[in-house]
Amino acid sequence: IREKVEARFIRILDHGAYINGPEVAELEAELCAYTGAKKALAVGNGTDALIMPMLAMDLTDKDAVFLPAFTYNATCSAAMLSGATPVFVDVRANDFCIDPEDLERRIGEAKAQSLTPRLIIAVDLFGIPADYEALFAIAERHGMTVLADAAQSFGCQWEGRYAGNIAPVTGTSFFPAKSLGCYGDGGAIMFRDEAAWEACEQIRWHGTDSGRRESVRVGMN
């Protein structure tokens, strides 16, 4: 596909819109069309795709974020960079995804340590989605939400829905080795929750409002 890619690079050089240009909007529309997500945001990398939704939650070190113990260190780093306290959960032997039974135990331990359970990061591995039915039930019982990490599962389906349209918010990475890779680094956030999209859209542009005039929250770029 080199010739097609080079043609697109030339088009970018011709129009000169290097930041948030028309290709970004095109990618976001294609991600929504493919996955069924309501909204999508292209971001710099997969770690940003996890950090931004957590920043939108205004987490503190008294908030517990539960993540599988078998994952890349970026998952834990994202939780820590967002200000939360990461809590590791064991994984199941059959698919290496987060174990709902151990998750219940870890939630109890976190509460005993005066932590508030806020978020479950479900990391899909090897093209296999996590046990979302169980995770959603646990999240509802404890007043939590689920953030999906689909860096290794883009293109997979669960209950007829594509990764990106399963959890309220999904982050993915376009690192070259991922299921959907790019030339260099990149990532995206996909949303079923439009309120979360609005907050993340502000965070992506330095925390400014839609008119880019007022700073409404701490943001990134």
Side-chain angles (χ1 to χ4, degrees), residues 44-90:
N45 52 68
T47 307
D48 286 353
L50 297 178
I51 293 173
M52 289 183 185
M54 286 191 276
L55 288 178
M57 295 178 66
D58 297 319
L59 299 171
T60 73
D61 60 0
K62 299 299 183 184
D63 295 320
V65 171
F66 300 88
L67 61 149
F70 184 64
T71 184
Y72 188 58
N73 60 20
T75 315
C76 183
S77 294
M80 295 176 73
L81 286 166
S82 71
T85 296
V87 177
F88 291 107
V89 180
D90 203 357

Side-chain angles (χ1 to χ4, degrees), residues 57-135:
M57 295 178 66
D58 297 319
L59 299 171
T60 73
D61 60 0
K62 299 299 183 184
D63 295 320
V65 171
F66 300 88
L67 61 149
F70 184 64
T71 184
Y72 188 58
N73 60 20
T75 315
C76 183
S77 294
M80 295 176 73
L81 286 166
S82 71
T85 296
V87 177
F88 291 107
V89 180
D90 203 357
V91 296
R92 303 189 302 191
N94 64 324
D95 60 10
F96 298 97
C97 292
I98 193 167
D99 182 353
E101 291 186 12
D102 192 53
L103 174 59
E104 286 278 18
R105 288 191 289 271
R106 303 301 176 189
I107 290 172
E109 291 174 0
K111 289 180 176 179
Q113 296 172 23
S114 299
L115 293 172
T116 302
R118 291 288 305 277
L119 181 68
I120 302 164
I121 304 180
V123 181
D124 305 331
L125 287 177
F126 313 117
I128 302 169
D131 186 351
Y132 285 99
E133 183 175 5
L135 296 180

Side-chain angles (χ1 to χ4, degrees), residues 108-186:
E109 291 174 0
K111 289 180 176 179
Q113 296 172 23
S114 299
L115 293 172
T116 302
R118 291 288 305 277
L119 181 68
I120 302 164
I121 304 180
V123 181
D124 305 331
L125 287 177
F126 313 117
I128 302 169
D131 186 351
Y132 285 99
E133 183 175 5
L135 296 180
F136 289 150
I138 292 171
E140 186 173 1
R141 277 199 298 276
H142 295 280
M144 305 169 69
T145 189
V146 177
L147 169 63
D149 180 341
Q152 286 196 23
S153 65
F154 190 89
C156 86
Q157 288 183 313
W158 175 83
E159 296 287 318
R161 300 207 304 259
Y162 277 108
N165 189 32
I166 298 171
V169 180
T170 300
T172 195
S173 168
F174 299 138
F175 184 82
K178 301 302 183 184
S179 303
L180 178 62
C182 69
Y183 291 95
D185 223 333

